[in-house]
Amino acid sequence: PDCVMEVHLMVSNPQDYIRSMASSGCDMLSFHIDSTSFVRRTLSEIKENGMKAGIALNPSQRIDIIEPFANMLDHIVFMSVEPGFAGQSFLPGSIERLRQLSDFRAQNNLSFQIIVDGGAHYGILKDLIVNGCDAVVTNIYTIFNQPDGIISACKRFEETVRSIT
């Protein structure tokens, strides 16, 4: 199977890292909207460097904040925890926000992928998928620190997702 390298920058001035990410083999690059005053320019530069461009949407940001540049997006990293550290619990209200983002995508005839990042666990996988999630960033709740080991945990996660879709 193909391997895709997606890098999510949590830095100020993400435009300073675009060329080095491209030369490192990055396929998909995303950044936080509030990390630069030049969102459109940064998205364009990512694409000019041969990568798919995306942004992160934090839990405290309105869905419609993406409207001015939504047609430029290949993906959105939909944060379902406040960014900063691993192991946080999935935030209440995130499924409803995911549905709003998915509806925004459909109503505007857009095709960006929605990647959910933060606190995802087996109990919410179906809700994520039926509400528009295209990919999930997994973590300690599904892959790491599992009693059956990382390889078995990855296979179990994949089988669970396939049984839902």
Side-chain angles (χ1 to χ4, degrees):
D2 291 334
C3 183
V4 175
M5 184 191 325
E6 197 279 334
V7 174
H8 176 76
L9 296 173
M10 291 183 65
V11 298
S12 299
N13 302 314
Q15 57 276 16
D16 294 345
Y17 300 89
I18 294 172
R19 287 196 181 100
S20 62
M21 291 294 105
S23 66
S24 296
C26 181
D27 301 296
M28 300 169 63
L29 186 62
S30 59
F31 60 94
H32 288 262
I33 299 169
D34 51 2
S35 66
T36 179
S37 299
F38 308 104
V39 173
R40 295 177 66 85
R41 184 184 311 163
T42 304
L43 290 168
S44 292
E45 191 174 337
I46 291 170
K47 289 178 179 246
E48 288 165 7
N49 279 272
M51 296 174 286
K52 292 188 177 190
I55 55 95
L57 188 62
N58 291 336
S60 57
Q61 294 173 316
R62 295 170 44 112
I63 301 296
D64 62 1
I65 195 172
I66 68 170
E67 192 169 357
F69 47 82
N71 63 334
M72 300 176 71
L73 296 171
D74 295 306
H75 61 283
I76 291 179
V77 179
F78 177 85
M79 300 299 299
S80 47
V81 298
E82 289 292 346
F85 61 93
Q88 297 179 64
S89 297
F90 192 82
L91 285 173
S94 293
I95 296 294
E96 176 59 33
R97 284 178 45 78
L98 173 61
R99 186 177 312 113
Q100 291 170 1
L101 179 58
S102 183
D103 288 348
F104 177 89
R105 175 175 61 180
Q107 291 164 359
N108 291 285
N109 199 30
L110 298 165
S111 60
F112 57 76
Q113 282 190 313
I114 300 173
I115 303 168
V116 174
D117 184 358
H121 55 82
Y122 285 102
I124 61 166
L125 279 178
K126 185 173 184 176
D127 285 338
L128 294 177
I129 292 168
V130 300
N131 285 291
C133 174
D134 300 300
V136 179
V137 176
T138 59
N139 55 34
I140 64 169
Y141 300 112
T142 54
I143 302 296
F144 301 108
N145 298 330
Q146 298 298 305
D148 53 344
I150 194 165
I151 293 173
S152 293
C154 286
K155 287 178 182 177
R156 182 168 30 92
F157 182 79
E158 181 180 19
E159 289 168 5
T160 302
V161 170
R162 287 183 195 273
S163 73
I164 295 169
T165 56

